Amino acid sequence: MSGKYELYAERSGGFQFRLKANNGEVIATSESYHSKAEALKGIEALKTHVKSHVVDMTEPED
């Protein structure tokens, strides 16, 4: 998947990031982090877990 992560400072002093697709559409926005380092760790965590499988919660369980 291509795209980019944008890290930015909030007016409140926290940090957030968003994941943007190649067409510029925002496809994910993070929670607010207290520090830039925490936000960067959040990006790394998303990069790791984005490869996870899909769980379809709309299908009844057997």
Side-chain angles (χ1 to χ4, degrees), residues 13-30:
F15 294 86
Q16 278 190 290
F17 64 86
R18 59 186 155 240
L19 174 58
K20 282 192 169 181
N22 282 342
N23 65 1
E25 182 179 350
V26 176
I27 55 177
T29 302
S30 74

Side-chain angles (χ1 to χ4, degrees), residues 30-60:
S30 74
E31 62 183 299
S32 180
Y33 294 91
H34 289 102
S35 71
K36 183 177 178 179
E38 289 175 340
L40 290 169
K41 285 182 185 178
I43 291 171
E44 290 306 315
L46 186 59
K47 285 180 177 179
T48 299
H49 296 293
V50 79
K51 299 171 190 145
S52 299
H53 65 280
V54 174
V55 176
D56 186 350
M57 302 298 286
T58 65
E59 296 294 322

